[in-house]
Amino acid sequence: MAKYKLEYIWLDGKTPIPELRGKTTLKDFATPPTLADVPLWGFDGSSTMQAEGKSSDCILKPVALYPDAARKSAYLVLSEVMHPDGTPHPSNMRATAPDDPDMWFGFEQEYFLYKDGRPLGFPEAGFPGPQGPYYCGVGYKYMGSVARTIVEEHLDLCLHAGINHEGINAEVAKGQWEFQIFGKGSHKAADDLWIARYLMMRLCEKYEVDVEWHCKPIRGDWNGSGMHTNFSSKYLREVGGKEHFEVLMEAFAKNKEAHIAVYGPDNHLRLTGHHETQSIDRFSYGLSDRGASIRMPVNFIRNGYRGYLEDRRPNSEADPYQIVSQIIKTIESVGEPVLA
Ligand code: ADP
Ligand code: MN
Ligand code: MN
Ligand code: MN
């Protein structure tokens, strides 16, 4: 028997966007555990905005297991929050998100690294040089030193955990970065994204750095942070076609408010029609158009309106479970033929 550290991770009751919580239990296993081996656990919901003090027990139901390279013999146990009777807690958005293995999602998570209440590299008073050289930049005067160290370490932690990280880049504002995660299956992509956020925040503790997920932390001529959500159904990948695409876009236009409602708080500060965004009260789509709500990638039309689409509206703070739920709902409303 060997002892393993199991870090149970869940989302708390904060609204509109939950925060991550985690605690460790130690368990003995003869061989490295699988998801089926890790037990239910519980926590005090009165301390996480999920229960009243007089009946405070909430249940943690493990739903995904990730190797944790930051600790010896350790796993991260992503868990859903349940009532003691086994029904999902109202804060449990994963339970309401359909788990469709044929829906593929790629999230482009943008964020700022902050120190002492301002983006890394910002002077104590005033601003650094204007945007321009920071996007995919190199050199100490643009990037500083600690940011890239964090980004690289985070990438390795995610890869070790089995998260399908697809890339990283420095973003347009100073102190702003992005990572991309792709997942086949709506739950897989959203689960991986929450764990990647957890790993980033935990890692940053030792550098005395905060991760700022808000979509518009600096006013003025500084980019906000989005979480472009690339999506494809099996039908969109394999059949597609102009007619189908136009019907789908009509459904997206019709459901504009329902999408914006789950695309993250304060999005009106970011979706202004400037800084590569469409304004929050409009819906548009276009080929390679970074000022549209939905962008068709460069080869989409050439491939017969087939492939994936990029919804540019979700923001950096949004809950991926709610994003995938709404996208699936809108796609289902047009009744795509089911493919074998
Ligand atoms: P850009 O910055 O140009 O918008 P990125 O390269 O940052 O593009 O992100 C594109 C994303 O699209 C990647 O995260 C990738 O995983 C995702 N993607 C690629 N193919 C598909 C697909 N068939 N379905 C869903 N997402 C996809
Ligand atoms: Mn990108
Ligand atoms: Mn980006
Ligand atoms: Mn993008």
Side-chain angles (χ1 to χ4, degrees):
M1 286 293 196
K3 263 198 197 316
Y4 286 87
K5 303 176 193 116
L6 304 179
E7 181 78 6
Y8 281 61
I9 294 169
W10 73 97
L11 292 163
D12 71 12
K14 186 162 167 275
T15 56
I17 300 298
E19 289 195 306
L20 289 153
R21 306 278 181 143
K23 61 171 182 165
T24 305
T25 184
L26 290 140
K27 291 271 177 254
D28 291 311
F29 297 103
T31 53
T34 63
L35 182 60
D37 300 326
V38 299
L40 297 176
W41 199 18
F43 67 98
D44 164 18
S46 70
S47 300
T48 61
M49 294 162 279
Q50 284 163 309
E52 300 290 324
K54 52 185 166 8
S55 83
S56 63
D57 283 336
C58 290
I59 305 301
L60 291 170
K61 178 183 151 197
V63 292
L65 198 63
Y66 297 85
D68 183 0
R71 303 165 99 186
K72 276 186 209 141
S73 308
Y75 287 86
L76 306 169
V77 185
L78 180 66
S79 304
E80 284 190 18
V81 176
M82 314 300 281
H83 290 302
D85 69 3
T87 57
H89 189 274
S91 64
N92 179 351
M93 290 298 153
R94 187 182 190 274
T96 60
D99 187 14
D100 182 344
D102 287 332
M103 281 297 306
W104 298 358
F105 288 95
F107 295 110
E108 302 171 53
Q109 171 76 67
E110 295 178 340
Y111 59 96
F112 279 85
L113 294 175
Y114 260 56
K115 179 130 184 137
D116 304 325
R118 57 183 184 272
L120 271 185
F122 269 51
E124 218 168 296
F127 293 92
Q131 294 188 158
Y134 310 120
Y135 172 73
C136 300
V138 64
Y140 173 67
K141 71 171 181 272
Y142 299 141
M143 315 317 293
S145 60
V146 71
R148 201 183 296 278
T149 308
I150 292 171
V151 164
E152 292 294 329
E153 242 181 272
H154 177 250
L155 174 61
D156 283 336
L157 288 172
C158 286
L159 292 176
H160 186 90
I163 292 174
N164 202 2
H165 232 73
E166 285 216 321
I168 48 181
N169 61 273
E171 267 302 335
V172 174
K174 188 159 191 171
Q176 190 187 29
W177 291 79
E178 168 177 316
F179 58 79
Q180 299 113 33
I181 285 177
F182 174 74
K184 293 183 176 177
S186 39
H187 275 190
K188 168 76 178 146
D191 290 349
D192 284 6
L193 185 78
W194 273 118
I195 292 295
R197 285 177 176 176
Y198 176 87
L199 288 171
M200 179 57 90
M201 293 172 84
R202 193 184 64 179
L203 171 67
C204 282
E205 290 170 358
K206 76 173 174 194
Y207 294 100
E208 298 179 22
V209 162
D210 275 308
V211 189
E212 178 54 82
W213 304 106
H214 190 270
C215 73
K216 195 73 179 181
I218 337 162
R219 304 293 167 89
D221 213 5
W222 295 92
N223 275 32
S225 298
M227 190 166 70
H228 298 165
T229 300
N230 302 273
F231 63 92
S232 61
S233 63
K234 194 168 159 72
Y235 191 84
L236 210 46
R237 289 190 299 272
E238 294 181 8
V239 182
K242 185 161 192 260
E243 205 177 314
H244 172 259
F245 172 74
E246 284 171 355
V247 170
L248 188 60
M249 288 304 99
E250 253 173 60
F252 269 85
K254 203 175 89 192
N255 293 304
K256 178 168 72 73
E257 270 81 36
H259 282 263
I260 292 294
V262 296
Y263 280 1
D266 296 336
N267 223 356
H268 61 285
L269 300 175
R270 165 181 166 261
L271 298 179
T272 56
H274 305 288
H275 301 112
E276 302 180 36
T277 67
Q278 173 57 288
S279 124
I280 194 163
D281 47 19
R282 302 219 182 108
F283 176 82
S284 66
Y285 58 86
L287 185 70
S288 298
D289 184 356
R290 290 169 192 270
S293 316
I294 288 191
R295 175 175 69 97
M296 294 177 264
V298 59
N299 291 321
F300 186 79
I301 294 182
R302 197 179 309 151
N303 290 340
Y305 289 81
R306 234 172 348 146
Y308 69 96
L309 294 167
E310 178 191 50
D311 194 332
R312 300 177 59 78
R313 298 168 296 170
N315 79 31
S316 45
E317 213 182 351
D319 171 10
Y321 295 128
Q322 297 179 56
I323 298 175
V324 302
S325 293
Q326 184 57 48
I327 289 177
I328 291 172
K329 198 168 170 190
T330 299
I331 292 177
E332 281 178 349
S333 76
V334 307
E336 283 181 350
V338 179
L339 301 178

